[in-house]
Amino acid sequence: MLKSFICNNAFAISTTLSHFSFPYPFSHKFLTTTTTSHSFTVSYLINNFNFSSELALKASKQVHFNTPNKADSVINFFTTHGFTDTDIQKIVKREPWLLSCDTHKRVLPKFQFLLSKGASPSDIVGIAVGNPRFMKTSLKNRVIPLYNLVNQFICSDQKTLASIISCPSLLCSDFVDSNIKLLVENGVCNSSIFRILRSRPSIIFCSPRELAESVEELKKLGLNPSMSFFGDALLAKRGISESKWNEKIDTFKKWGWSEETILEAIRRQPKCMLSSNDKINRVMEFWVNELGWDSSYLVKGPGIFGYGLEKRVIPRAMIVRYLLNKGLRSESASLLTPFYLSEKLFLERYVLCFEEEEKSYLLKLYYEMMKVENEKGQKNPES
């Protein structure tokens, strides 16, 4: 254990540095270019946290001490709060100043605040390791205001904590408040901001200039910030590079969609741009080549690209095709509706509503297709 290692080697660490033997080839340089306290800090970081000599020297400019007492007490603080040796090493390597801080004044109040909101000790460990910088920021002026701002849109301590656990920078990023303000001023609705904060909060860590550019680009595509799908559009626009975005445009064009058609699909369901090129091609291949249906149908329901091909699209499509061939479903009915229903409603409306013989055949067909396609999906997990 790191703690016992330090305690057992405290005397060795504090030995006069002129007699200290460094295992690194350029340690002599440090002894001749740094002060005694800096040299002690360097040796402490190298021996107890596996710092490289260069990184230890750099860190010693932020924190330095002549004895191990303070640093040992900091390590003991984290150990008693459930942090492992590995956790502590990760934290110290990113924020070495912690080794000389008063943890009960600087860090503990932040832990207590999170506990008061329902976080568990393991949650706090995850947040601190995920972004140790949050322990450096002011509780009163930064952590609490940012927490309250995020919770204003999520409206649940449990869900707010879940977002923070997945993205600890929410408690310390320099851009969270300014970017949320930017979205509000541009008319982005609360539900869109909620979706961003719950799905991919890292989107609002970019510079306000970059976020503003993305918002304007989406507006030029005809997307209204007040619509609930605008959050999905931002997720797509900020979630993939411009080159990947253009590649997907080209993939849709390959299947006969014009630029205006693609824009219509994006306006209807922006998340279709988050599907991989392979997924787009596989859906189109099945829809056009196997079913013989026109790809233009999918423009009105581009959300289908986000559904599992093996688990949902193919089994349901086979039922719909059978019903059409048997004249049990009107050709004028929407081809897309069956794919958007819940499992329960789909079975009720397209399988269980028929006479016993027909119903038995449809159930058998549906579950056989589900089994066969699931087995295929295991070989090709992106479905």
Side-chain angles (χ1 to χ4, degrees), residues 95-131:
E95 301 292 341
W97 62 270
L98 281 164
L99 290 177
S100 63
C101 83
D102 185 335
T103 51
H104 285 80
K105 288 184 178 180
R106 194 76 180 272
V107 180
L108 183 59
K110 297 181 178 74
F111 290 1
Q112 291 172 332
F113 170 74
L114 293 174
L115 285 170
S116 73
K117 297 300 180 180
S120 68
S122 61
D123 291 336
I124 293 173
V125 170
I127 293 170
V129 174
N131 194 335

Side-chain angles (χ1 to χ4, degrees), residues 133 142 146 169 172-178:
R133 184 187 168 204
R142 197 76 182 148
L146 284 178
S169 296
C172 56
S173 171
D174 295 329
F175 297 134
V176 172
D177 46 0
S178 57

Side-chain angles (χ1 to χ4, degrees), residues 93-297:
K93 281 191 174 181
R94 293 179 63 181
E95 301 292 341
W97 62 270
L98 281 164
L99 290 177
S100 63
C101 83
D102 185 335
T103 51
H104 285 80
K105 288 184 178 180
R106 194 76 180 272
V107 180
L108 183 59
K110 297 181 178 74
F111 290 1
Q112 291 172 332
F113 170 74
L114 293 174
L115 285 170
S116 73
K117 297 300 180 180
S120 68
S122 61
D123 291 336
I124 293 173
V125 170
I127 293 170
V129 174
N131 194 335
R133 184 187 168 204
F134 112 89
M135 292 182 284
K136 190 174 187 178
T137 55
S138 168
L139 175 64
K140 179 180 178 181
N141 299 324
R142 197 76 182 148
V143 174
I144 293 178
L146 284 178
Y147 180 94
N148 289 338
L149 177 62
V150 172
N151 194 47
Q152 175 184 332
F153 294 94
I154 296 181
C155 302
S156 162
D157 283 324
Q158 183 181 5
K159 292 179 180 178
T160 296
L161 282 170
S163 292
I164 291 170
I165 291 167
S166 68
C167 197
S169 296
L170 279 173
L171 290 179
C172 56
S173 171
D174 295 329
F175 297 134
V176 172
D177 46 0
S178 57
N179 278 340
I180 288 181
K181 182 180 179 182
L182 184 154
L183 294 176
V184 171
E185 289 177 346
N186 275 274
V188 179
C189 63
N190 286 7
S191 62
S192 287
I193 297 175
F194 167 86
R195 190 172 290 110
I196 292 170
L197 291 172
R198 291 291 290 127
S199 301
R200 194 176 297 172
S202 58
I203 284 175
I204 58 174
F205 299 154
C206 64
S207 71
R209 178 185 60 79
E210 292 175 329
L211 185 61
E213 288 175 354
S214 295
V215 170
E216 287 304 314
E217 287 175 14
L218 293 174
K219 285 181 179 179
K220 289 177 182 178
L221 293 179
L223 290 162
N224 187 339
S226 66
M227 301 299 290
S228 60
F229 277 159
F230 196 82
D232 291 332
L234 270 177
L235 287 171
K237 191 63 179 173
R238 296 297 310 171
I240 59 176
S241 65
E242 185 176 355
S243 62
K244 291 291 184 183
W245 180 279
N246 292 332
E247 284 178 13
K248 290 174 187 182
I249 296 292
D250 291 338
T251 300
F252 283 121
K253 285 182 177 179
K254 186 180 77 174
W255 291 97
W257 288 14
S258 65
E259 288 198 8
E260 185 53 44
T261 297
I262 296 169
L263 286 179
E264 181 184 348
I266 294 173
R267 293 186 194 112
R268 287 178 179 273
Q269 179 47 274
K271 288 177 76 173
C272 67
M273 295 300 287
L274 291 174
S275 297
S276 69
N277 288 324
D278 179 64
K279 177 66 176 297
I280 295 170
N281 280 323
R282 291 178 65 212
V283 171
M284 288 291 200
E285 175 84 24
F286 172 72
W287 191 271
V288 175
N289 295 340
E290 292 193 38
L291 296 176
W293 296 343
D294 196 319
S295 68
S296 63
Y297 281 114

Side-chain angles (χ1 to χ4, degrees), residues 269-374:
Q269 179 47 274
K271 288 177 76 173
C272 67
M273 295 300 287
L274 291 174
S275 297
S276 69
N277 288 324
D278 179 64
K279 177 66 176 297
I280 295 170
N281 280 323
R282 291 178 65 212
V283 171
M284 288 291 200
E285 175 84 24
F286 172 72
W287 191 271
V288 175
N289 295 340
E290 292 193 38
L291 296 176
W293 296 343
D294 196 319
S295 68
S296 63
Y297 281 114
L298 297 177
V299 176
K300 296 181 179 180
I304 199 170
F305 292 102
Y307 289 137
L309 191 61
E310 283 80 15
K311 295 180 179 180
R312 190 185 191 103
V313 177
I314 293 177
R316 294 191 183 193
M318 301 309 288
I319 294 294
V320 173
R321 185 171 70 171
Y322 174 85
L323 296 177
L324 286 171
N325 291 340
K326 285 287 188 176
L328 298 173
R329 177 173 168 77
S330 171
E331 292 187 2
S332 62
S334 170
L335 280 176
L336 297 170
T337 300
F339 301 97
Y340 288 89
L341 297 175
S342 67
E343 179 77 357
K344 181 175 182 293
L345 281 178
F346 173 78
L347 290 174
E348 286 178 358
R349 296 182 185 181
Y350 295 92
V351 177
L352 303 178
C353 58
F354 295 100
E355 296 295 331
E356 190 62 37
E357 184 177 349
E358 203 75 61
K359 179 174 67 175
S360 297
Y361 177 79
L362 287 170
L363 275 173
K364 182 180 179 182
L365 173 64
Y366 183 68
Y367 288 117
E368 281 184 353
M369 291 304 305
M370 186 82 74
K371 179 181 178 181
V372 170
E373 295 303 328
N374 281 344

